[in-house]
Amino acid sequence: MRSAENRPMLFELDGVTLSRGSRTILERVSVQLPDGAVCIAGPSGCGKSSLLRLLNRLADPDVGVVRYRGADVRDRDPLELRREVALVPQLPALLDGSVEDNIRFAAGLNGAGDDGSPLETARLLELAGLDASYADRDARRLSVGEQQRAMLARALAVEPGVLLLDEPTSALDEAARDAIEWTLRDLRRRLGISLVLVTHDPDQARRMADWVIRLERGAAIAQGAVRTGRGA
Amino acid sequence: MTSSIEVSLSEVAGSLALVAIAIGVSLWRRTDLEQDIGIAVVRSFIQLTAIGFVIQAIFDEDSLALVALLIAVMIVFGALTARGRARKVPGAFWPLLIALALAGVATLGLVVGLGIFEPEPRYLVPVGGMVIGNAMTAAAVALNRLGDDMHDSAHRIEATLALGATSREAAMPVVRRALRSGTIALIDSTKTTGLIFFPGTMVGMLLAGADPIDAVRLQLILLWVLLGSVAIAALVATSLAYRNFFTPAHQLREPPEP
């Protein structure tokens, strides 16, 4: 474990408690997420996905503060924050229509009038590891792996500075998983965006991250740098 | 359009023979509906008799204030009834109340303003009753669908919010489907009217001895008026109610289970 003192903090959670009904999901979690590739790892049901959702204000904690680049996220316009810090959920959740319709919709959210032209769609698909022929495909008839990539392309259309990814490979076989991991590393290299990745797989955390946070039963039990990590 | 017939209580009682058949079917096939049929018959008798006296009193007074009061009461009861069908929609009462009120006021205002009906109790009471009743059904169906779909589509809605969409943008596909399901039934029955069923107003006028052409014209007015009021009610109810699923920070109040 290495201290994070001289790294710019992407996110900080300070004494965060989150409950849902009578269930406590996160309890007094204080962690730091530096720029780069961060993995939030832990067994299923430990609160990883809930923590991820706090980072772009899909939910707010009951107690405690979440800071993005030093500022309380509650002081930010949530819509602006989410375009800067886009989240790709675990379940494929594309809209009805073609892959291109989905990408156009997301590009429109960013106020990008010209975005969504065939050329731009092809570039986004290519970044997400799909070829241009996918643009016209019915989004909801793709395989889970293809939908996952289409979700990634859609998220890239809002031109985020940070991508939050919730178990991006959990439904995939080993080959598809390796391909997505390659795509994510490639994205970091080419676009320089930061990644926060939720995973239940400690090996994936080691492969992908240069900073890991371990959660167990709603509590952060460890955080620190991965010395052998391959993250940029 | 003025004609009247006398209906005696013994004639009304005669129609109970058909109720007896309904009860007989229920007993024979053990559908266990006898009690409900009985309650339905008694309630319809009491409610319609009571409203008959109320309407008679309003006609006798010839007071528009009483008409407004009657319609206001119908709007409140309509909203309460429709809320029962929209249990999955948080805080459904106010959207429904506003929807029914707007549908009623806009429709009656337009038919009077366009000179279709005189602003008299004998027109406003029956038209108002039909408008509120149909608006209630449409708004209830729309919100019922909205509640189901918001729940079923929570993952997709949140995935859209997660990219910076407003709650309105994220809910729009669901709201559109709800609006559609609220209005489609009346559109379909308007398409088939005269072929598959004879609407009530026309039947009533024919029974009362009116000229068929007059009966048809009045029925057309009412059908088309109802299309407008149903569209207003479903639009207003869904446009207001979807907001109750979100916080002001564009978050789902009940996020999907992971």
Side-chain angles (χ1 to χ4, degrees):
Chain A
M1 297 276 163
R2 199 174 70 190
S3 110
E5 270 161 7
N6 45 17
R7 304 178 66 140
M9 277 309 142
L10 185 62
F11 293 102
E12 276 174 285
L13 275 73
D14 195 353
V16 164
T17 295
L18 174 74
S19 45
R20 190 161 172 169
S22 56
R23 205 152 40 97
T24 303
I25 293 169
L26 295 171
E27 196 163 16
R28 289 196 296 271
V29 172
S30 296
V31 289
Q32 299 182 318
L33 290 74
D35 267 301
V38 178
C39 266
I40 302 169
S44 59
C46 71
K48 322 182 279 294
S49 300
S50 299
L51 193 157
L52 198 70
R53 295 169 68 257
L54 298 176
L55 301 181
N56 76 344
R57 285 203 72 195
L58 284 175
D60 289 323
D62 303 313
V63 183
V65 184
V66 178
R67 291 191 198 89
Y68 170 60
R69 300 215 186 276
D72 190 334
V73 289
R74 273 174 293 201
D75 295 336
R76 293 281 307 261
D77 172 43
L79 303 178
E80 231 175 71
L81 177 70
R82 289 176 200 152
R83 285 163 201 167
E84 206 173 312
V85 181
L87 185 148
V88 181
Q90 178 176 11
L91 290 169
L94 294 160
L95 301 169
D96 288 329
S98 68
V99 172
E100 179 159 19
D101 291 338
N102 273 272
I103 290 174
R104 253 181 220 285
F105 175 80
L109 295 175
N110 200 25
D114 297 334
D115 283 6
S117 63
L119 198 71
E120 178 68 357
T121 303
R123 186 181 73 88
L124 294 167
L125 288 173
E126 191 264 323
L127 279 170
L130 294 171
D131 67 64
S133 71
Y134 277 87
D136 297 328
R137 299 271 295 270
D138 184 344
R140 298 180 84 189
R141 284 173 177 272
L142 302 176
S143 74
V144 176
E146 290 166 335
Q147 287 195 48
Q148 203 64 260
R149 288 180 182 278
M151 299 267 291
L152 194 57
R154 182 173 82 159
L156 292 173
V158 300
E159 297 177 351
V162 183
L163 263 185
L164 311 177
L165 301 148
D166 192 355
E167 298 270 16
T169 61
S170 64
L172 306 180
D173 61 33
E174 208 169 302
R177 183 201 70 195
D178 289 346
I180 289 263
E181 287 183 1
W182 187 89
T183 299
L184 293 176
R185 279 193 289 268
D186 184 51
L187 273 181
R188 285 212 54 213
R189 205 165 40 240
R190 288 166 68 183
L191 304 179
I193 62 180
S194 287
L195 302 179
V196 180
L197 200 109
V198 157
T199 181
H200 67 277
D201 175 6
D203 293 332
Q204 182 169 53
R206 271 191 289 278
R207 283 194 303 272
M208 294 297 296
D210 36 34
W211 187 265
V212 175
I213 291 166
R214 272 193 189 291
L215 285 186
E216 235 169 67
R217 273 172 277 165
I221 54 164
Q223 61 172 326
V226 177
R227 287 179 196 284
T228 55
R230 277 200 270 164
Chain B
M1 298 199 301
T2 54
S3 49
S4 62
I5 55 167
E6 303 262 324
V7 183
S8 72
L9 269 180
S10 60
E11 286 164 330
V12 175
S15 64
L16 283 175
L18 285 115
V19 174
I21 292 177
I23 291 174
V25 168
S26 171
L27 284 171
W28 182 38
R29 288 291 152 133
R30 295 188 199 156
T31 52
D32 201 20
L33 287 172
E34 318 76 77
Q35 206 180 350
D36 283 318
I37 295 170
I39 290 170
V41 168
V42 172
R43 274 188 61 168
S44 57
F45 179 76
I46 294 172
Q47 286 163 199
L48 280 178
T49 305
I51 200 68
F53 283 115
V54 170
I55 293 171
Q56 183 72 57
I58 292 174
F59 283 7
D60 290 346
E61 285 290 318
D62 203 19
S63 152
L64 286 180
L66 282 178
V67 173
L69 180 68
L70 178 70
I71 287 175
V73 169
M74 288 195 287
I75 287 170
V76 172
F77 275 97
L80 285 171
T81 309
R83 185 177 61 173
R85 297 274 304 277
R87 286 185 204 286
K88 287 186 189 165
V89 179
F93 177 72
W94 287 105
L96 285 165
L97 188 78
I98 295 168
L100 297 193
L102 273 178
V105 169
T107 318
L108 291 181
L110 267 174
V111 292
V112 170
L114 293 172
I116 299 169
F117 293 115
E118 298 295 316
E120 288 170 16
R122 58 166 304 202
Y123 298 115
L124 295 185
V125 169
V127 175
M130 279 185 81
V131 164
I132 307 289
N134 281 271
M136 178 193 81
T137 308
V141 170
L143 289 202
N144 183 273
R145 178 71 187 262
L146 184 75
D148 284 344
D149 269 15
M150 285 295 295
H151 192 259
D152 295 345
S153 303
H155 278 110
R156 296 167 82 191
I157 290 169
E158 188 161 82
T160 316
L161 293 175
L163 302 177
T166 61
S167 44
R168 183 188 154 82
E169 287 165 326
M172 198 41 69
V174 168
V175 170
R176 195 177 295 129
R177 284 199 296 273
L179 178 58
R180 223 182 122 76
S181 64
T183 45
I184 197 97
L186 186 74
I187 295 171
D188 280 348
S189 76
T190 304
K191 278 186 202 161
T192 55
T193 186
L195 291 174
I196 297 171
F197 81 108
F198 284 179
T201 308
M202 196 174 113
V203 171
M205 282 186 70
L206 291 173
L207 287 174
D211 182 341
I213 298 302
D214 282 335
V216 164
R217 285 182 185 163
L218 181 64
Q219 186 62 63
L220 283 178
I221 291 172
L222 290 176
L223 278 175
W224 294 347
V225 161
L226 284 181
L227 278 179
S229 63
V230 155
I232 294 171
L235 175 72
V236 173
T238 50
S239 309
L240 294 176
Y242 88 85
R243 294 158 205 259
N244 295 350
F245 288 91
F246 297 93
T247 70
H250 306 277
Q251 299 159 330
L252 274 175
R253 284 188 195 279
E254 283 203 27
E257 285 290 337

